[in-house]
Amino acid sequence: MGLFDQILGAVSNSNQPGGLDNLINIATTVKQLGNGIGADSSTMQSVLSVVGKQVQSSLQAKQTSDGSESVQDLVNQFAGTSANSQAVDTLFSPDIQAEVAENAAQGTSLDVNTIQQLLPSLVPLVLSFLQSGGNPLLNQFLDADGDGDVDIADAIKLASRFLRI
């Protein structure tokens, strides 16, 4: 079963953390963040794609060094729809934060400072999307060599279309 099928399964099961209510909260928060800075949905998806890839890389490194349980604990600790600068500092060094902001600013109308200010809101959203309790999304996300290479921006785009947000 590919990641797309698992996302659809998670959407249909509103009792698990990756369910419909969680996706609605994530998509709504992304839209509000975009509206707050004057960014359209494609800009936010571009930024989320860069942030999501770095979160993926950081979680993969943590999984290699500390194990899957440590990654799950980190996701559970920092997932949410509220800004949390500690989540950013835990996952990204200051140099990585600057690199993520620079990469995300390329090809968008947003400047590096705006993206750096968004990171404490975006990282917990990505982690919230991954938060699981028997939900296989986290393991699929960490499996960069898997056959379903869907990143967080693709999933938000799908959720936004599905939910008409």
Side-chain angles (χ1 to χ4, degrees):
M1 177 183 283
L3 182 58
F4 181 77
D5 295 326
Q6 292 181 16
I7 290 169
L8 290 179
V11 167
S12 66
N13 183 357
S14 63
N15 293 325
Q16 69 183 36
L20 184 59
D21 292 341
N22 193 38
L23 288 176
I24 289 171
N25 288 338
I26 293 168
T28 300
T29 303
V30 169
K31 183 175 181 168
Q32 290 171 345
L33 287 170
N35 289 344
I37 59 169
D40 62 18
S41 62
S42 67
T43 298
M44 292 305 291
Q45 289 166 16
S46 295
V47 171
L48 272 171
S49 180
V50 172
V51 173
K53 286 177 184 173
Q54 188 59 53
V55 168
Q56 181 181 30
S57 177
S58 295
L59 291 177
Q60 286 171 330
K62 184 148 188 76
Q63 182 181 37
T64 299
S65 65
D66 300 338
S68 295
E69 192 172 309
S70 177
V71 170
Q72 187 64 59
D73 290 344
L74 188 143
V75 169
N76 291 339
Q77 178 181 358
F78 294 118
T81 56
S82 299
N84 187 333
S85 58
Q86 188 179 359
V88 178
D89 293 338
T90 299
L91 284 174
F92 306 152
S93 69
D95 289 341
I96 295 295
Q97 291 176 37
E99 182 180 320
V100 168
E102 288 173 23
N103 290 340
Q106 294 175 5
T108 71
S109 60
L110 301 178
D111 62 54
V112 171
N113 290 333
T114 300
I115 294 171
Q116 284 181 319
Q117 291 172 3
L118 286 175
L119 286 178
S121 296
L122 296 177
V123 170
L125 286 172
V126 171
L127 296 175
S128 183
F129 180 77
L130 298 175
Q131 192 177 39
S132 63
N135 184 336
L137 286 176
L138 179 59
N139 289 334
Q140 283 288 348
F141 186 75
L142 294 174
D143 182 14
D145 298 327
D147 59 351
D149 188 22
V150 178
D151 67 18
I152 189 70
D154 294 331
I156 292 294
K157 184 176 181 179
L158 172 67
S160 295
R161 284 184 181 165
F162 176 75
L163 302 170
R164 302 197 193 289
I165 295 177

